Amino acid sequence: MPVVKDWDSAKSQAEHLHPQIYKSETDKREYRTIRLPNGLEALLISCEHLTTSSSQENKAACSLCLDVGEFSNPPEILNITYFLTMEYMYFQKPEIRSEECITFKNFIHDHDGTTHVTVENEHTIFYFDIKENNLFLALHKFGLFFINPIMPKYIFMENLNALKTEFQVEFKSRIRYEQILYFSAQTGHPVNMCSEDNLTEIINNTDYDKLYDMMDRFKKRHYSAHRMKLAIRSGLSLDTMEKFVKACFVHVPNNRMPPDNFSKFKKNLPFDISAFRKMYKVNDNTEHLTRLQITWALPSFSDFYKCNSYQYIPWIIGYKGKGSLISYLRQKMWSPISDNNMFYCEIQQNSIYSLLQLIIPLTSKGQKHLEDKVEPWQQTAFTDIEIPKEWIERWKVIEPLLEFYLLPNIFLTKLYLRALKTPNEKIEKYPVKLYSNSLSEIWYRPDFKHCLPKCCMHFYFISPLKLQPLKNRVLMDMYCRLLEQLLAEELYPAIQIGFKYNIIVNNNGFTLKISGPNKTLPVSIRLKCALEL
């Protein structure tokens, strides 16, 4: 079906919704929520007043959330949701048959954009970003995927090899952890997805005529406008973006059918409890570190909270400041300090259950103290071992450690951050030197472009040792890495409220860049003390 040419026709009028939007005083973006006649709802975010460069340089972003995921896979052919997302990547207008026909994925990449799809338990999320001046064309192509039926069978068959390859890469990249988890799921439960054992069968032995027919039925059943939420952010005006949405999505069909109901599975957890009382050891050649992964299966929180308050649990466990779990492990030399991002805690939530997962990288010394933790990291090829009874008995009587505590964040301020007013006097284009002596110089320039109560400071430390010899450069790299490790735990509370810092080695020394709210400026004193050490 072609795109509507009359943007303001009565048929494509959108209902303006008026939800309460909470935003800070410094947020200059404008928001609007609309609902099309077919039920599709869209959130529009305009950065028009923040845009200073041309639309040819600015990026626009679009995301669409559809409330269907892998839980709705039909038992006859598993992972049909992934094949549909691959069709989205390779989608092209059916009436175009030429070598010049450009798929949606290639169109986005040809215009310096990115695109990806995430299939979750109960949702599928499509995302792309692109240069702002190409936003309408991208939305046009994007909307056609949801408007038109599944691609003609001959195009599907011609792209079959590419679809197989993309599916295999996508599925392999996510199955390493999930393989063991789904292996323990109860038979007949939605979470009981296909395993790597039958992945080859899916790729090579599937009846693709049957797959095509089921994809067609699946799309007609679940890809309905009233189950879609769209979000667009750009430097265009709200009125312009609303016209774009009406033109590109008003013809998405609405079958008025409700989503699948999984409430009957809420009474019991989907996993075999005995499988969660084992230790799984995995040898993965792609990993250079041993990692410990602890997984807790919990009931769903969706019926108990109106907001994401359950995120406090992984936030507390994954805290990286003083008195934290990772601080304790590093003091014991059980976990490496080289990469702070390798330690994390997250929670996966759906309407049936929740999974709390803790990832801890281990040193060789830490591997000898597994009884002080729990289960090793899980992937595909594994051996399962019963957890020793003496470990379990020890966990039953363990007392809280004094090394674990949470301190109030001293960088939090009770004052509200207010936008600064633009002064009447002329602002210099370049920084002005405020101070200079034989050891240092201070330059300053106010930033009234965004009028935010933030400060950016760059410290350029010039070393008397030239870094031309390789040895000096390596020593400087080592020094800066050690400095980052010294600062990580001390400044973690400041990072939580928006403070940022970065250390960059250059030819004559290194540069320390720090930025954050004005109220976090005392952090610079701590940085100075750390540097003097």
Side-chain angles (χ1 to χ4, degrees), residues 337-353:
I337 59 177
S338 58
D339 191 346
N340 215 31
N341 295 324
M342 297 181 68
F343 170 85
Y344 62 92
C345 186
E346 64 180 5
I347 191 166
Q348 297 180 13
Q349 167 76 2
N350 57 59
S351 65
I352 304 177
Y353 65 90

Side-chain angles (χ1 to χ4, degrees), residues 193-383:
M193 299 175 59
C194 61
S195 65
E196 187 177 8
D197 295 335
N198 60 12
L199 176 60
T200 303
E201 180 181 351
I202 293 176
I203 296 297
N204 298 324
N205 301 327
T206 297
D207 183 343
Y208 285 96
D209 288 313
K210 181 179 179 181
L211 172 63
Y212 177 84
D213 294 337
M214 293 198 67
M215 287 173 59
D216 185 39
R217 293 198 298 270
F218 189 91
K219 186 174 183 180
K220 291 177 180 177
R221 164 67 178 87
H222 295 287
Y223 280 54
S224 179
H226 72 293
R227 297 171 59 182
M228 297 178 183
K229 307 290 185 184
L230 180 71
I232 301 176
R233 177 191 54 78
S234 76
L236 303 175
S237 68
L238 292 175
D239 291 339
T240 299
M241 286 191 286
E242 180 175 335
K243 291 178 180 179
F244 285 3
V245 172
K246 290 191 293 185
C248 299
F249 294 94
V250 72
H251 291 293
V252 175
N254 182 345
N255 59 22
R256 304 184 185 279
M257 298 178 65
D260 292 336
N261 189 338
F262 302 107
S263 58
K264 65 179 180 180
F265 298 103
K266 287 186 176 182
K267 296 181 180 180
N268 300 306
L269 289 175
F271 306 104
D272 181 7
I273 300 299
S274 61
F276 268 68
R277 294 174 179 171
K278 291 184 179 181
M279 181 166 55
Y280 298 88
K281 292 188 176 182
V282 182
N283 183 16
D284 182 18
N285 296 328
T286 64
E287 291 292 322
H288 302 291
L289 280 176
T290 298
R291 288 199 272 177
L292 171 76
Q293 175 157 327
I294 308 173
T295 301
W296 291 270
L298 306 171
S300 174
F301 296 103
S302 59
D303 294 336
F304 301 100
Y305 301 101
K306 292 183 179 180
C307 59
N308 296 336
S309 54
Y310 56 84
Q311 293 289 353
Y312 282 114
I313 302 174
W315 187 91
I316 293 174
I317 297 176
Y319 186 75
K320 299 175 184 177
K322 291 184 177 181
S324 64
L325 171 62
I326 190 60
S327 175
Y328 173 81
L329 295 175
R330 287 171 176 170
Q331 291 175 18
K332 295 283 188 178
M333 301 299 292
W334 293 355
S335 184
I337 59 177
S338 58
D339 191 346
N340 215 31
N341 295 324
M342 297 181 68
F343 170 85
Y344 62 92
C345 186
E346 64 180 5
I347 191 166
Q348 297 180 13
Q349 167 76 2
N350 57 59
S351 65
I352 304 177
Y353 65 90
S354 301
L355 290 178
L356 181 64
Q357 298 162 343
L358 174 63
I359 311 293
I360 305 175
L362 297 178
T363 61
S364 57
K365 186 177 180 180
Q367 296 177 47
K368 298 177 182 179
H369 293 270
L370 282 178
E371 68 271 19
D372 296 317
K373 307 177 191 71
V374 199
E375 305 166 12
W377 198 56
Q378 306 171 2
Q379 288 189 13
T380 46
F382 67 92
T383 57

Side-chain angles (χ1 to χ4, degrees), residues 108-126:
I108 295 295
H109 290 177
D110 290 346
H111 293 85
D112 299 327
T114 61
T115 180
H116 66 262
V117 187
T118 303
V119 180
E120 299 178 350
N121 298 142
E122 297 172 286
H123 298 90
T124 302
I125 301 173
F126 302 85

Side-chain angles (χ1 to χ4, degrees), residues 24 26-27 417-420 444-448 450-457 497-500 514-521:
S24 67
T26 59
D27 187 355
L417 297 178
R418 296 184 178 274
L420 303 179
Y444 171 75
R445 180 184 181 275
D447 178 19
F448 292 107
H450 300 97
C451 297
L452 298 178
K454 290 186 177 181
C455 178
C456 299
M457 295 184 288
I497 63 170
F499 181 84
K500 297 179 181 179
I514 62 177
S515 63
N518 289 339
K519 294 299 179 180
T520 64
L521 286 181

